[in-house]
Amino acid sequence: MSISACEFIRYKRLGKSADPKDIKEFVQGYLDGNVADYQMSAWLMAVSFNGLSEDELLAYTEALISSGERFDLSDIPGFKVDKHSTGGVGDKVSLILAPLVASCGVAVPMVSGRGLGHTGGTLDKLASIPGFRTDLTVDEFKRYLSKIGVAMMGQSADLCPADGRIYALRDVTATVSSIPLIAASISSKKIAEGAEGLVLDVKVGSGAFMTDEQSAELLAREIISITNRFNVKTTSVLTDMNQPLGRAVGNAVEVREAIACLKGQGPDDLRKIVLELAARMLLLGGRSDAENTRADAIAALDSGRALDKFREMVRIQGGDPRIVDDSSLLSHATHDIPIVAESNGVVQSVDTYRIGMLAVDLGAGRRRKEDLIDPAVGFEIYKKIGDEVREGEALATVHANDESKGLEVAEELEDCFETGDGSPNVPPLIIKRLA
Ligand code: URA
């Protein structure tokens, strides 16, 4: 580095832009052990306050990508399209979308993450399918993608290892929510995994990392701009996360709901988001023209083609495909605890962040990275904002393996629903379409 690590950090603290070459050396120095955790943490905090210039952001993203392997998917025919959600509560969309789009002939290479904070992770949901492997090698990932058009794996040690290490630091230094750091982290992994197209679902609301539309749009635009610079065509939708998506929150319960959606059933809001994102992926993948994308996606769901592809994916990745027709093969909790409304009214708001944290308390997520997930536990939530409830009617069910914990969580879950007499503003599911 042309300057010391300390001087480099001081520059960012003063709001100055660094030489892109120094950014790359600083990240590389961190991997090599020449930059300490506390120095990286200090720089991340300075970035959280002062941001990154366009050149710095590109250099930082490049440094994350080149810290590992860049998957070469060029021998797999067709345009490869992935989807990324910034995370929320009850977001099981990837489980449905990846096989659906693959069943329409567009290859979907998907590298997914574990749950983070109050948000659930696709990887944890997949892990609740008996036998399903997400720890694929790059060769397996490519082989399955080539054979059936879809593969879903976790971030391996080869893919953006600098992001993996820096992410763990951000998690414990209150620097997760910085827009440029999130944008570089997400973009680097999508670029490195070999996607040529990306549909980005930026969640907005009380259960999302971005609680307001303005920050969500800024994040979406940053990711579009970075990925485009690396020749990944990206489009984005901002969608509502002021209440859980669908009814199920947890892992096995969400897999059940995803299978219902793949069978043409399931909650309307979930199906609507799936169709919106699928249509965009098909358009990027060149398999449908703008007028037919939605109809093609609906046909794949309603004909059972998407479900067949899901079954094929479960089988090839080592899972038990019989779960598709026999949901009793997925974990079930021992206690189902109903929550009933205490009075008549209309649901005014739902504290979605708290619902996510209660799911973590129950064991559906992790408080520390080494915590084990209980695949069976979670919630089913029956009421949405604007729905009428009658005294004694079920609002939700808590699925727990530890009865006393379940009862404790049930009491708190009830407080997450605010009911009253007014007619609340029901948030639109699709808030904004970008690019
Ligand atoms: N997801 C990521 O992959 N990275 C972030 O920084 C935030 C969410």
Side-chain angles (χ1 to χ4, degrees), residues 261-272:
C261 184
L262 282 160
K263 289 181 174 169
Q265 306 148 13
D268 288 348
D269 57 345
L270 176 61
R271 182 176 163 97
K272 194 168 169 197

Side-chain angles (χ1 to χ4, degrees), residues 107-124:
V108 184
M110 194 174 271
V111 174
S112 303
R114 305 201 309 175
L116 187 66
H118 66 287
T119 66
T122 300
L123 221 51
D124 298 327

Side-chain angles (χ1 to χ4, degrees), residues 32 65 74 82 102 141 143 158 167 297 300 335 340 375 391 395-396 424 427-428:
D32 296 342
I65 297 168
S74 57
D82 191 6
F141 185 68
R143 195 148 28 89
D158 309 324
Y167 194 88
H335 299 278
V340 293
E391 188 185 334
L395 282 174

Side-chain angles (χ1 to χ4, degrees), residues 138-377:
V138 181
D139 275 354
E140 285 171 321
F141 185 68
K142 286 173 67 173
R143 195 148 28 89
Y144 301 160
L145 187 61
S146 160
K147 198 158 178 199
I148 66 165
V150 57
M152 298 178 84
M153 69 180 277
Q155 182 178 3
S156 68
D158 309 324
L159 193 93
C160 303
D163 173 68
R165 281 197 49 200
I166 292 172
Y167 194 88
L169 262 192
R170 288 170 54 211
D171 208 13
V172 291
T173 55
T175 51
V176 168
S177 61
S178 148
I179 288 178
L181 294 179
I182 298 178
S185 167
I186 292 174
S187 304
S188 61
K189 284 172 286 200
K190 297 295 150 186
I191 295 160
E193 76 177 16
E196 294 161 297
L198 175 67
V199 174
L200 183 66
D201 179 8
V202 179
K203 300 283 184 205
V204 191
S206 67
F209 286 116
M210 299 292 125
T211 50
D212 66 280
E213 187 180 326
Q214 207 187 1
S215 326
E217 182 163 347
L218 204 60
L219 175 62
R221 292 201 184 280
E222 291 268 49
I223 297 177
I224 291 171
S225 149
I226 301 171
T227 49
N228 286 350
R229 293 284 287 265
F230 287 86
N231 296 323
V232 178
K233 270 196 196 168
T234 301
T235 69
S236 178
V237 196
L238 310 189
T239 65
D240 181 62
M241 191 34 76
N242 282 300
Q243 50 190 335
L245 183 62
R247 293 160 73 143
V249 178
N251 294 291
V253 280
E254 290 201 35
V255 172
R256 275 194 201 94
E257 188 166 88
I259 293 172
C261 184
L262 282 160
K263 289 181 174 169
Q265 306 148 13
D268 288 348
D269 57 345
L270 176 61
R271 182 176 163 97
K272 194 168 169 197
I273 297 262
V274 165
L275 292 176
E276 170 76 26
L277 300 175
R280 286 177 162 251
M281 289 175 79
L282 292 178
L283 195 59
L284 275 178
R287 280 301 157 131
S288 307
D289 53 43
E291 273 140 46
N292 296 326
T293 45
R294 218 185 127 75
D296 287 351
I298 292 174
L301 269 189
D302 295 346
S303 65
R305 235 185 319 125
L307 182 71
D308 288 345
K309 186 58 75 180
F310 176 78
R311 200 185 266 115
E312 223 180 332
M313 178 181 83
V314 170
R315 182 182 297 114
I316 208 168
Q317 294 201 208
D320 184 349
R322 293 174 305 160
I323 56 141
V324 170
D325 305 301
D326 181 359
S327 75
S328 72
L329 295 169
L330 291 164
S331 309
H332 277 267
T334 47
H335 299 278
D336 296 334
I337 304 162
I339 297 177
V340 293
E342 285 180 351
S343 54
N344 294 344
V346 172
V347 178
Q348 305 289 316
S349 68
V350 178
D351 187 343
T352 312
Y353 170 80
R354 195 161 164 210
I355 291 180
M357 288 314 293
L358 288 172
V360 172
D361 279 352
L362 206 55
R366 299 176 190 80
R367 287 210 169 270
R368 289 171 315 168
K369 65 181 191 315
E370 58 278 11
D371 286 350
L372 288 179
I373 297 254
D374 182 343
V377 301

Side-chain angles (χ1 to χ4, degrees), residues 56 95 101 147 150 356 417:
E56 286 180 305
L95 305 182
V101 171
K147 198 158 178 199
V150 57
F417 296 87

